[in-house]
Amino acid sequence: MNRAETPSSAAAALTDSRLAALTAKAAERAFANYQRRFDEITHRARARFLAHDLKGSYADAAERLHLYGDVLADLTTQITDLMGPRLRERNVWSAIKAVYSSFVAQSRAWEIGESFFNSLTRRVFATEGVDQAIEFVDSDFDAPPTSSPFDVGRIYSGAALLELISAALTNPEAGGFAAECWDELGVSVGLAAERVEAEFRGAGRRGSKVRLEMINRAFYRGGGAYLVGRAISDGSNGVGLPLAFCLRHEGERGVTLDAVLFGEADLSILFSYTRAYFRVRADCPHSLVHSLRQLMPDKRLADLYNAIGFNRHAKTEFYRDFIAQLNASADHFNTAEGTPGMVMVVFTLSSYDVVFKVIKDRFDFPKDTTPNEVRRRYKLVFEHDRAGRLVEAHEFEHLRIRQNRFEPVLLEDLLRATGKTVRLHGDDVVIDHAYVERRIRPLNIFFTEADASQRAAAARDYGQAIKDLAASNIFPGDLLTKNFGVTRRGRIVFYDYDELCFLTDCNFRDLPQAKTYEEEMSAEPWFSVRENDIFPEEFLNFLRLPEPACAALLEQHADLFHPDFWRSVQRKLREGEIPEIFPYPPERRLVTAH
Ligand SMILES: Nc1ncnc2c1ncn2[C@@H]1O[C@H](COP(=O)(O)OP(=O)(O)OP(=O)(O)O)[C@@H](O)[C@H]1O
Ligand SMILES: [Mg+2]
């Protein structure tokens, strides 16, 4: 091709408004393409569920996670070509934003479209902080009013509770499955109705008429499908009891109702930031998120967008919330409580329950990993099933925060230990890369504060957390309690990923028996140890758990300290077994064993 015909030089000849229109159109097309492919994958969930195709379900989840980045990479190339030397002309970008805004005004997913545009401009400009002229820092649109009952809901009323539940479960137009797909529908519905009635009795609302308000679509994840909503009794002034029907489909039996969850706490655990995203029809994400928020008012919008698979937009929502919090508060960023990291500098604002983690330039002894390797492991967690036990870490780039919000000691520490990532710019601190995650109470601190029964309960769940991770093919690497935390729902989760690896890559060994006195007394191992060798019999020595935590852990999870347990999990994983980790405790199940 003649040089004069290349698109780059063609851009030079276009008026600003023409170039803006062409670029905005390309961005709009790319966004439409993203949405179409997102919906396609999401719509497959129902068939995967009915075919009990767990492998396919996980593959879809992974494909959908990559989609945004893939579409955006293509678009960036296309626009770089289209705009040529004018790629970074800010006045053109202000015009592009205006044209694009008129496109997304037509979309039912306008906020997702705005974030998509932000992702594009941030790629082009590597913007420090944010820039309202070329980004949708705030939305261009007032959110439409949301209503109660749900915008995306279906009400079942005017019959006995049994019939209402049955109608909700079997209505295919509202996420349910036709009666003929079910195994023992009547029995399940009977058990579910009993549970709902018991919950109402507990709340002193016996005898009143009940209606069900359900979100009119199913939420799919792993091998499960979930129908969520609330039960409202006449006497309750419209305050409902949030609930979730948890459906499974295994073997030839048909669909079963495995469990019923009640209350905000149960639902919060189902929609937790420690789990993979749901696949759920979300033609208007705003309506869906606001309906969910009526059930879980404590969750941030960011968490709910995340839960339904819009993790990039969740970052926009998080950022808006964070800036609002900064403006509404005056406290200072400080080093997070707990044992300081050897790999990360971790800091937090006492008035806001997230932590910021910045990778150090150099790691303290004995860490021999590299910053890239640390990032690789955090990425692995993002892509892997988090099993309800790994805190989600969002990556942020080029954060800009006023210097006077930092405690001087922390700032000094950041500039010294993370100088490649953190620098001063005028009155601001610019952070080129940070992981942002929910702040939880580090388990080592919790053990010093909690009473005996809380310590025992935490230790039991700590053991279960390690087992859940094992079942999902994850070995945390560093089992020390400083790397685990307690959520506000009392669950034990893990947050330090720099040594995390696949369980099937580990070599779980028996501890060799010493044959001589010298071997017995040796401080260092007298046998050779390779990198992936792990000796479960030694775990308990270095964990140094307080009592009664130690006894409680041993009582319920003594098998963790024997290599046989680990090797048997490895065997199952290698045979392709994908064990289901339920997002609810066994007592919520209607039938405890299949
Ligand atoms: N999500 C969180 N909530 C609360 N505190 C946290 C969180 N993440 C980290 N911390 C605190 O920061 C410390 C260091 O974090 P982290 O363990 O992730 O870093 P690290 O450098 O990888 O640690 P290590 O030296 O153990 O490898 C933790 O010991 C804990 O006290
Ligand atoms: Mg740590």
mmCIF file of all heavy atoms in Angstrom, residues 336-347 354-355 357 360 367 374 378 391 437-442 444-445 478 480 482-485 495-499, ligand 1:
data_model
loop_
_atom_site.group_PDB
_atom_site.id
_atom_site.type_symbol
_atom_site.label_atom_id
_atom_site.label_comp_id
_atom_site.label_asym_id
_atom_site.label_seq_id
_atom_site.Cartn_x
_atom_site.Cartn_y
_atom_site.Cartn_z
ATOM 1 N N ALA A 336 -1.399 -1.300 57.490
ATOM 2 C CA ALA A 336 -2.438 -2.210 57.981
ATOM 3 C C ALA A 336 -1.941 -2.930 59.228
ATOM 4 O O ALA A 336 -0.757 -3.242 59.344
ATOM 5 C CB ALA A 336 -2.799 -3.223 56.899
ATOM 6 N N GLU A 337 -2.865 -3.203 60.122
ATOM 7 C CA GLU A 337 -2.506 -3.929 61.345
ATOM 8 C C GLU A 337 -2.049 -5.339 61.001
ATOM 9 O O GLU A 337 -2.518 -5.923 60.028
ATOM 10 C CB GLU A 337 -3.749 -4.059 62.226
ATOM 11 C CG GLU A 337 -3.985 -2.901 63.152
ATOM 12 C CD GLU A 337 -5.178 -3.200 64.040
ATOM 13 O OE1 GLU A 337 -5.005 -3.868 65.068
ATOM 14 O OE2 GLU A 337 -6.285 -2.766 63.671
ATOM 15 N N GLY A 338 -1.184 -5.873 61.833
ATOM 16 C CA GLY A 338 -0.776 -7.257 61.632
ATOM 17 C C GLY A 338 0.711 -7.348 61.347
ATOM 18 O O GLY A 338 1.440 -6.358 61.474
ATOM 19 N N THR A 339 1.134 -8.538 60.941
ATOM 20 C CA THR A 339 2.549 -8.744 60.657
ATOM 21 C C THR A 339 2.890 -8.125 59.308
ATOM 22 O O THR A 339 2.279 -8.489 58.297
ATOM 23 C CB THR A 339 2.842 -10.259 60.577
ATOM 24 O OG1 THR A 339 2.250 -10.873 61.712
ATOM 25 C CG2 THR A 339 4.331 -10.537 60.525
ATOM 26 N N PRO A 340 3.822 -7.177 59.274
ATOM 27 C CA PRO A 340 4.132 -6.550 57.975
ATOM 28 C C PRO A 340 4.587 -7.592 56.955
ATOM 29 O O PRO A 340 5.227 -8.579 57.307
ATOM 30 C CB PRO A 340 5.279 -5.597 58.311
ATOM 31 C CG PRO A 340 5.240 -5.422 59.783
ATOM 32 C CD PRO A 340 4.659 -6.680 60.355
ATOM 33 N N GLY A 341 4.228 -7.356 55.699
ATOM 34 C CA GLY A 341 4.588 -8.311 54.658
ATOM 35 C C GLY A 341 6.052 -8.200 54.264
ATOM 36 O O GLY A 341 6.652 -7.134 54.402
ATOM 37 N N MET A 342 6.593 -9.295 53.763
ATOM 38 C CA MET A 342 7.954 -9.271 53.219
ATOM 39 C C MET A 342 7.921 -8.908 51.735
ATOM 40 O O MET A 342 8.902 -8.498 51.156
ATOM 41 C CB MET A 342 8.613 -10.633 53.412
ATOM 42 C CG MET A 342 8.996 -10.878 54.862
ATOM 43 S SD MET A 342 9.767 -12.474 55.080
ATOM 44 C CE MET A 342 8.360 -13.465 55.509
ATOM 45 N N VAL A 343 6.736 -9.083 51.140
ATOM 46 C CA VAL A 343 6.590 -8.891 49.698
ATOM 47 C C VAL A 343 5.783 -7.626 49.384
ATOM 48 O O VAL A 343 6.007 -6.961 48.393
ATOM 49 C CB VAL A 343 5.894 -10.150 49.116
ATOM 50 C CG1 VAL A 343 5.441 -9.938 47.696
ATOM 51 C CG2 VAL A 343 6.824 -11.348 49.204
ATOM 52 N N MET A 344 4.856 -7.318 50.266
ATOM 53 C CA MET A 344 3.926 -6.217 50.033
ATOM 54 C C MET A 344 4.028 -5.165 51.132
ATOM 55 O O MET A 344 4.227 -5.510 52.292
ATOM 56 C CB MET A 344 2.476 -6.731 50.099
ATOM 57 C CG MET A 344 2.134 -7.768 49.081
ATOM 58 S SD MET A 344 1.737 -6.945 47.541
ATOM 59 C CE MET A 344 1.076 -8.331 46.640
ATOM 60 N N VAL A 345 3.799 -3.889 50.742
ATOM 61 C CA VAL A 345 3.465 -2.882 51.749
ATOM 62 C C VAL A 345 1.941 -2.768 51.698
ATOM 63 O O VAL A 345 1.361 -2.580 50.623
ATOM 64 C CB VAL A 345 4.109 -1.519 51.445
ATOM 65 C CG1 VAL A 345 3.646 -0.473 52.453
ATOM 66 C CG2 VAL A 345 5.628 -1.631 51.473
ATOM 67 N N VAL A 346 1.305 -2.920 52.859
ATOM 68 C CA VAL A 346 -0.160 -2.946 52.892
ATOM 69 C C VAL A 346 -0.647 -1.786 53.747
ATOM 70 O O VAL A 346 -0.188 -1.612 54.875
ATOM 71 C CB VAL A 346 -0.667 -4.290 53.466
ATOM 72 C CG1 VAL A 346 -2.186 -4.350 53.413
ATOM 73 C CG2 VAL A 346 -0.062 -5.459 52.698
ATOM 74 N N PHE A 347 -1.535 -0.983 53.210
ATOM 75 C CA PHE A 347 -2.038 0.147 53.995
ATOM 76 C C PHE A 347 -3.536 0.318 53.847
ATOM 77 O O PHE A 347 -4.165 -0.255 52.947
ATOM 78 C CB PHE A 347 -1.292 1.437 53.651
ATOM 79 C CG PHE A 347 -1.410 1.874 52.217
ATOM 80 C CD1 PHE A 347 -2.380 2.782 51.836
ATOM 81 C CD2 PHE A 347 -0.530 1.405 51.254
ATOM 82 C CE1 PHE A 347 -2.486 3.217 50.522
ATOM 83 C CE2 PHE A 347 -0.628 1.824 49.933
ATOM 84 C CZ PHE A 347 -1.611 2.732 49.562
ATOM 85 N N VAL A 354 -11.184 -1.352 53.133
ATOM 86 C CA VAL A 354 -10.367 -2.019 52.114
ATOM 87 C C VAL A 354 -8.887 -1.813 52.449
ATOM 88 O O VAL A 354 -8.544 -0.901 53.199
ATOM 89 C CB VAL A 354 -10.625 -1.495 50.681
ATOM 90 C CG1 VAL A 354 -12.065 -1.655 50.281
ATOM 91 C CG2 VAL A 354 -10.189 -0.068 50.535
ATOM 92 N N VAL A 355 -8.043 -2.685 51.888
ATOM 93 C CA VAL A 355 -6.592 -2.479 51.999
ATOM 94 C C VAL A 355 -6.015 -2.300 50.599
ATOM 95 O O VAL A 355 -6.556 -2.812 49.615
ATOM 96 C CB VAL A 355 -5.866 -3.652 52.707
ATOM 97 C CG1 VAL A 355 -6.315 -3.782 54.153
ATOM 98 C CG2 VAL A 355 -6.042 -4.953 51.954
ATOM 99 N N LYS A 357 -2.483 -2.866 48.477
ATOM 100 C CA LYS A 357 -1.251 -3.651 48.578
ATOM 101 C C LYS A 357 -0.333 -3.304 47.413
ATOM 102 O O LYS A 357 -0.737 -3.425 46.253
ATOM 103 C CB LYS A 357 -1.575 -5.150 48.522
ATOM 104 C CG LYS A 357 -2.521 -5.603 49.623
ATOM 105 C CD LYS A 357 -2.982 -7.027 49.407
ATOM 106 C CE LYS A 357 -2.309 -7.956 50.340
ATOM 107 N NZ LYS A 357 -2.986 -9.276 50.424
ATOM 108 N N LYS A 360 6.670 -4.679 46.831
ATOM 109 C CA LYS A 360 7.954 -4.039 47.137
ATOM 110 C C LYS A 360 8.929 -4.194 45.962
ATOM 111 O O LYS A 360 8.838 -5.153 45.189
ATOM 112 C CB LYS A 360 8.577 -4.704 48.373
ATOM 113 C CG LYS A 360 7.831 -4.418 49.657
ATOM 114 C CD LYS A 360 8.589 -5.041 50.833
ATOM 115 C CE LYS A 360 7.918 -4.725 52.139
ATOM 116 N NZ LYS A 360 8.640 -5.284 53.290
ATOM 117 N N LYS A 367 12.446 -14.562 51.110
ATOM 118 C CA LYS A 367 11.638 -14.620 49.884
ATOM 119 C C LYS A 367 12.560 -14.537 48.663
ATOM 120 O O LYS A 367 13.379 -13.631 48.569
ATOM 121 C CB LYS A 367 10.675 -13.445 49.832
ATOM 122 C CG LYS A 367 9.638 -13.456 50.927
ATOM 123 C CD LYS A 367 8.430 -14.266 50.531
ATOM 124 C CE LYS A 367 7.449 -14.294 51.699
ATOM 125 N NZ LYS A 367 6.244 -15.039 51.425
ATOM 126 N N VAL A 374 4.999 -12.633 41.542
ATOM 127 C CA VAL A 374 3.911 -12.316 42.480
ATOM 128 C C VAL A 374 2.654 -11.947 41.694
ATOM 129 O O VAL A 374 1.559 -12.442 41.973
ATOM 130 C CB VAL A 374 4.316 -11.149 43.418
ATOM 131 C CG1 VAL A 374 3.124 -10.690 44.261
ATOM 132 C CG2 VAL A 374 5.475 -11.566 44.314
ATOM 133 N N TYR A 378 -1.213 -13.648 41.644
ATOM 134 C CA TYR A 378 -2.460 -12.902 41.875
ATOM 135 C C TYR A 378 -3.396 -13.073 40.678
ATOM 136 O O TYR A 378 -4.614 -13.157 40.830
ATOM 137 C CB TYR A 378 -2.171 -11.420 42.168
ATOM 138 C CG TYR A 378 -1.905 -11.161 43.639
ATOM 139 C CD1 TYR A 378 -0.689 -11.531 44.217
ATOM 140 C CD2 TYR A 378 -2.865 -10.583 44.465
ATOM 141 C CE1 TYR A 378 -0.437 -11.333 45.565
ATOM 142 C CE2 TYR A 378 -2.624 -10.376 45.822
ATOM 143 C CZ TYR A 378 -1.414 -10.744 46.363
ATOM 144 O OH TYR A 378 -1.193 -10.548 47.698
ATOM 145 N N VAL A 391 -9.751 -14.039 48.899
ATOM 146 C CA VAL A 391 -10.272 -12.682 48.783
ATOM 147 C C VAL A 391 -9.972 -12.156 47.377
ATOM 148 O O VAL A 391 -8.860 -12.313 46.885
ATOM 149 C CB VAL A 391 -9.577 -11.782 49.819
ATOM 150 C CG1 VAL A 391 -9.998 -10.334 49.662
ATOM 151 C CG2 VAL A 391 -9.885 -12.273 51.219
ATOM 152 N N GLU A 437 -8.208 -4.776 48.046
ATOM 153 C CA GLU A 437 -9.085 -5.864 48.461
ATOM 154 C C GLU A 437 -9.773 -5.545 49.777
ATOM 155 O O GLU A 437 -9.400 -4.598 50.470
ATOM 156 C CB GLU A 437 -8.311 -7.188 48.548
ATOM 157 C CG GLU A 437 -7.139 -7.153 49.486
ATOM 158 C CD GLU A 437 -6.268 -8.409 49.420
ATOM 159 O OE1 GLU A 437 -5.978 -8.874 48.311
ATOM 160 O OE2 GLU A 437 -5.902 -8.905 50.491
ATOM 161 N N ARG A 438 -10.774 -6.313 50.105
ATOM 162 C CA ARG A 438 -11.535 -6.104 51.313
ATOM 163 C C ARG A 438 -10.634 -6.283 52.536
ATOM 164 O O ARG A 438 -9.822 -7.209 52.581
ATOM 165 C CB ARG A 438 -12.703 -7.112 51.353
ATOM 166 C CG ARG A 438 -13.582 -6.986 52.566
ATOM 167 C CD ARG A 438 -14.306 -5.660 52.610
ATOM 168 N NE ARG A 438 -15.269 -5.548 51.540
ATOM 169 C CZ ARG A 438 -16.527 -5.990 51.643
ATOM 170 N NH1 ARG A 438 -16.963 -6.507 52.754
ATOM 171 N NH2 ARG A 438 -17.338 -5.881 50.610
ATOM 172 N N ARG A 439 -10.789 -5.395 53.496
ATOM 173 C CA ARG A 439 -10.021 -5.555 54.738
ATOM 174 C C ARG A 439 -10.750 -6.523 55.663
ATOM 175 O O ARG A 439 -11.957 -6.407 55.857
ATOM 176 C CB ARG A 439 -9.882 -4.204 55.454
ATOM 177 C CG ARG A 439 -8.993 -4.289 56.696
ATOM 178 C CD ARG A 439 -8.818 -2.922 57.344
ATOM 179 N NE ARG A 439 -10.065 -2.424 57.886
ATOM 180 C CZ ARG A 439 -10.389 -1.132 57.957
ATOM 181 N NH1 ARG A 439 -9.549 -0.206 57.509
ATOM 182 N NH2 ARG A 439 -11.546 -0.746 58.459
ATOM 183 N N ILE A 440 -9.995 -7.461 56.157
ATOM 184 C CA ILE A 440 -10.584 -8.400 57.105
ATOM 185 C C ILE A 440 -9.669 -8.474 58.316
ATOM 186 O O ILE A 440 -8.558 -7.936 58.271
ATOM 187 C CB ILE A 440 -10.777 -9.790 56.457
ATOM 188 C CG1 ILE A 440 -9.515 -10.181 55.724
ATOM 189 C CG2 ILE A 440 -11.953 -9.789 55.520
ATOM 190 C CD1 ILE A 440 -9.648 -11.439 54.953
ATOM 191 N N ARG A 441 -10.116 -9.121 59.367
ATOM 192 C CA ARG A 441 -9.307 -9.164 60.586
ATOM 193 C C ARG A 441 -8.280 -10.280 60.451
ATOM 194 O O ARG A 441 -8.663 -11.458 60.364
ATOM 195 C CB ARG A 441 -10.229 -9.435 61.780
ATOM 196 C CG ARG A 441 -9.642 -9.044 63.105
ATOM 197 C CD ARG A 441 -9.550 -7.551 63.218
ATOM 198 N NE ARG A 441 -8.914 -7.140 64.450
ATOM 199 C CZ ARG A 441 -8.099 -6.084 64.524
ATOM 200 N NH1 ARG A 441 -7.818 -5.366 63.453
ATOM 201 N NH2 ARG A 441 -7.568 -5.733 65.667
ATOM 202 N N PRO A 442 -6.971 -9.944 60.449
ATOM 203 C CA PRO A 442 -5.992 -11.031 60.351
ATOM 204 C C PRO A 442 -6.198 -12.053 61.473
ATOM 205 O O PRO A 442 -6.462 -11.670 62.621
ATOM 206 C CB PRO A 442 -4.647 -10.309 60.485
ATOM 207 C CG PRO A 442 -4.914 -8.927 59.958
ATOM 208 C CD PRO A 442 -6.322 -8.615 60.390
ATOM 209 N N ASN A 444 -4.205 -14.040 63.077
ATOM 210 C CA ASN A 444 -3.295 -14.003 64.236
ATOM 211 C C ASN A 444 -3.752 -12.952 65.245
ATOM 212 O O ASN A 444 -3.692 -13.174 66.457
ATOM 213 C CB ASN A 444 -1.840 -13.781 63.799
ATOM 214 C CG ASN A 444 -1.648 -12.540 62.943
ATOM 215 O OD1 ASN A 444 -2.590 -12.059 62.323
ATOM 216 N ND2 ASN A 444 -0.440 -12.007 62.921
ATOM 217 N N ILE A 445 -4.273 -11.822 64.756
ATOM 218 C CA ILE A 445 -4.761 -10.795 65.684
ATOM 219 C C ILE A 445 -6.073 -11.259 66.324
ATOM 220 O O ILE A 445 -6.287 -11.115 67.520
ATOM 221 C CB ILE A 445 -5.003 -9.458 64.954
ATOM 222 C CG1 ILE A 445 -3.720 -8.997 64.256
ATOM 223 C CG2 ILE A 445 -5.474 -8.401 65.935
ATOM 224 C CD1 ILE A 445 -3.880 -7.666 63.549
ATOM 225 N N ASP A 478 1.736 -20.682 52.215
ATOM 226 C CA ASP A 478 2.112 -20.228 53.554
ATOM 227 C C ASP A 478 0.879 -20.293 54.457
ATOM 228 O O ASP A 478 -0.008 -19.460 54.356
ATOM 229 C CB ASP A 478 2.631 -18.787 53.448
ATOM 230 C CG ASP A 478 3.247 -18.315 54.745
ATOM 231 O OD1 ASP A 478 2.951 -18.927 55.791
ATOM 232 O OD2 ASP A 478 4.008 -17.341 54.711
ATOM 233 N N LEU A 480 0.608 -19.886 57.647
ATOM 234 C CA LEU A 480 0.623 -19.139 58.904
ATOM 235 C C LEU A 480 -0.637 -18.289 59.054
ATOM 236 O O LEU A 480 -1.162 -17.762 58.068
ATOM 237 C CB LEU A 480 1.866 -18.244 58.982
ATOM 238 C CG LEU A 480 3.201 -19.003 59.056
ATOM 239 C CD1 LEU A 480 4.363 -18.022 59.097
ATOM 240 C CD2 LEU A 480 3.227 -19.924 60.275
ATOM 241 N N LYS A 482 -1.104 -15.396 60.037
ATOM 242 C CA LYS A 482 -1.006 -13.986 59.615
ATOM 243 C C LYS A 482 -1.491 -13.801 58.176
ATOM 244 O O LYS A 482 -1.750 -12.680 57.746
ATOM 245 C CB LYS A 482 0.439 -13.488 59.734
ATOM 246 C CG LYS A 482 1.389 -14.193 58.781
ATOM 247 C CD LYS A 482 2.791 -13.605 58.783
ATOM 248 C CE LYS A 482 3.657 -14.362 57.797
ATOM 249 N NZ LYS A 482 4.915 -13.765 57.487
ATOM 250 N N ASN A 483 -1.604 -14.886 57.436
ATOM 251 C CA ASN A 483 -2.019 -14.796 56.039
ATOM 252 C C ASN A 483 -3.498 -15.114 55.811
ATOM 253 O O ASN A 483 -3.974 -15.119 54.685
ATOM 254 C CB ASN A 483 -1.168 -15.716 55.171
ATOM 255 C CG ASN A 483 0.277 -15.282 55.186
ATOM 256 O OD1 ASN A 483 0.555 -14.082 55.155
ATOM 257 N ND2 ASN A 483 1.189 -16.232 55.289
ATOM 258 N N PHE A 484 -4.183 -15.413 56.899
ATOM 259 C CA PHE A 484 -5.624 -15.674 56.832
ATOM 260 C C PHE A 484 -6.349 -14.590 57.613
ATOM 261 O O PHE A 484 -5.763 -13.938 58.486
ATOM 262 C CB PHE A 484 -5.960 -17.032 57.460
ATOM 263 C CG PHE A 484 -5.524 -18.210 56.638
ATOM 264 C CD1 PHE A 484 -4.198 -18.621 56.637
ATOM 265 C CD2 PHE A 484 -6.445 -18.908 55.871
ATOM 266 C CE1 PHE A 484 -3.785 -19.710 55.879
ATOM 267 C CE2 PHE A 484 -6.040 -19.994 55.110
ATOM 268 C CZ PHE A 484 -4.713 -20.403 55.112
ATOM 269 N N GLY A 485 -7.625 -14.397 57.323
ATOM 270 C CA GLY A 485 -8.380 -13.402 58.072
ATOM 271 C C GLY A 485 -9.798 -13.874 58.320
ATOM 272 O O GLY A 485 -10.252 -14.876 57.744
ATOM 273 N N TYR A 495 -5.466 -14.422 52.092
ATOM 274 C CA TYR A 495 -5.220 -13.227 51.265
ATOM 275 C C TYR A 495 -3.786 -13.028 50.779
ATOM 276 O O TYR A 495 -3.491 -12.021 50.156
ATOM 277 C CB TYR A 495 -5.681 -11.958 51.979
ATOM 278 C CG TYR A 495 -5.175 -11.760 53.405
ATOM 279 C CD1 TYR A 495 -3.836 -11.602 53.681
ATOM 280 C CD2 TYR A 495 -6.080 -11.721 54.466
ATOM 281 C CE1 TYR A 495 -3.388 -11.415 54.980
ATOM 282 C CE2 TYR A 495 -5.640 -11.524 55.772
ATOM 283 C CZ TYR A 495 -4.288 -11.377 56.024
ATOM 284 O OH TYR A 495 -3.855 -11.201 57.295
ATOM 285 N N ASP A 496 -2.904 -13.960 51.076
ATOM 286 C CA ASP A 496 -1.493 -13.741 50.716
ATOM 287 C C ASP A 496 -1.106 -14.743 49.624
ATOM 288 O O ASP A 496 -0.921 -15.919 49.896
ATOM 289 C CB ASP A 496 -0.641 -13.940 51.982
ATOM 290 C CG ASP A 496 0.837 -13.765 51.688
ATOM 291 O OD1 ASP A 496 1.198 -13.586 50.509
ATOM 292 O OD2 ASP A 496 1.625 -13.812 52.637
ATOM 293 N N TYR A 497 -0.994 -14.257 48.400
ATOM 294 C CA TYR A 497 -0.932 -15.213 47.285
ATOM 295 C C TYR A 497 0.459 -15.459 46.710
ATOM 296 O O TYR A 497 0.597 -16.187 45.740
ATOM 297 C CB TYR A 497 -1.854 -14.729 46.144
ATOM 298 C CG TYR A 497 -3.279 -14.486 46.592
ATOM 299 C CD1 TYR A 497 -4.078 -13.516 46.001
ATOM 300 C CD2 TYR A 497 -3.826 -15.246 47.624
ATOM 301 C CE1 TYR A 497 -5.378 -13.300 46.432
ATOM 302 C CE2 TYR A 497 -5.120 -15.036 48.059
ATOM 303 C CZ TYR A 497 -5.890 -14.061 47.465
ATOM 304 O OH TYR A 497 -7.175 -13.850 47.894
ATOM 305 N N ASP A 498 1.510 -14.851 47.296
ATOM 306 C CA ASP A 498 2.795 -14.933 46.593
ATOM 307 C C ASP A 498 3.410 -16.336 46.623
ATOM 308 O O ASP A 498 4.311 -16.630 45.857
ATOM 309 C CB ASP A 498 3.776 -13.851 47.082
ATOM 310 C CG ASP A 498 4.147 -14.022 48.533
ATOM 311 O OD1 ASP A 498 5.073 -14.789 48.816
ATOM 312 O OD2 ASP A 498 3.494 -13.388 49.384
ATOM 313 N N GLU A 499 2.929 -17.203 47.503
ATOM 314 C CA GLU A 499 3.459 -18.574 47.497
ATOM 315 C C GLU A 499 2.395 -19.593 47.118
ATOM 316 O O GLU A 499 2.617 -20.802 47.217
ATOM 317 C CB GLU A 499 4.039 -18.907 48.874
ATOM 318 C CG GLU A 499 5.286 -18.085 49.185
ATOM 319 C CD GLU A 499 5.944 -18.485 50.497
ATOM 320 O OE1 GLU A 499 5.976 -19.688 50.803
ATOM 321 O OE2 GLU A 499 6.399 -17.584 51.200
HETATM 322 N N1 LIG B 1 -7.174 -8.180 53.039
HETATM 323 C C1 LIG B 1 -6.512 -7.843 54.144
HETATM 324 N N2 LIG B 1 -7.173 -7.396 55.218
HETATM 325 C C2 LIG B 1 -6.517 -7.035 56.346
HETATM 326 N N3 LIG B 1 -5.193 -7.078 56.476
HETATM 327 C C3 LIG B 1 -4.469 -7.501 55.423
HETATM 328 C C4 LIG B 1 -5.082 -7.918 54.205
HETATM 329 N N4 LIG B 1 -4.109 -8.284 53.357
HETATM 330 C C5 LIG B 1 -2.940 -8.116 54.034
HETATM 331 N N5 LIG B 1 -3.138 -7.650 55.273
HETATM 332 C C6 LIG B 1 -2.116 -7.351 56.304
HETATM 333 O O1 LIG B 1 -0.896 -7.021 55.652
HETATM 334 C C7 LIG B 1 0.118 -7.983 55.953
HETATM 335 C C8 LIG B 1 0.929 -8.286 54.723
HETATM 336 O O2 LIG B 1 0.074 -8.737 53.686
HETATM 337 P P1 LIG B 1 0.399 -10.052 52.829
HETATM 338 O O3 LIG B 1 0.464 -11.219 53.723
HETATM 339 O O4 LIG B 1 -0.559 -10.127 51.716
HETATM 340 O O5 LIG B 1 1.818 -9.636 52.291
HETATM 341 P P2 LIG B 1 3.133 -10.495 52.001
HETATM 342 O O6 LIG B 1 4.213 -9.517 51.841
HETATM 343 O O7 LIG B 1 2.869 -11.406 50.859
HETATM 344 O O8 LIG B 1 3.300 -11.352 53.341
HETATM 345 P P3 LIG B 1 4.395 -12.519 53.632
HETATM 346 O O9 LIG B 1 5.575 -11.838 54.155
HETATM 347 O O10 LIG B 1 3.657 -13.308 54.681
HETATM 348 O O11 LIG B 1 4.556 -13.255 52.341
HETATM 349 C C9 LIG B 1 -0.616 -9.191 56.500
HETATM 350 O O12 LIG B 1 0.196 -9.891 57.410
HETATM 351 C C10 LIG B 1 -1.829 -8.564 57.162
HETATM 352 O O13 LIG B 1 -1.493 -8.139 58.476
#
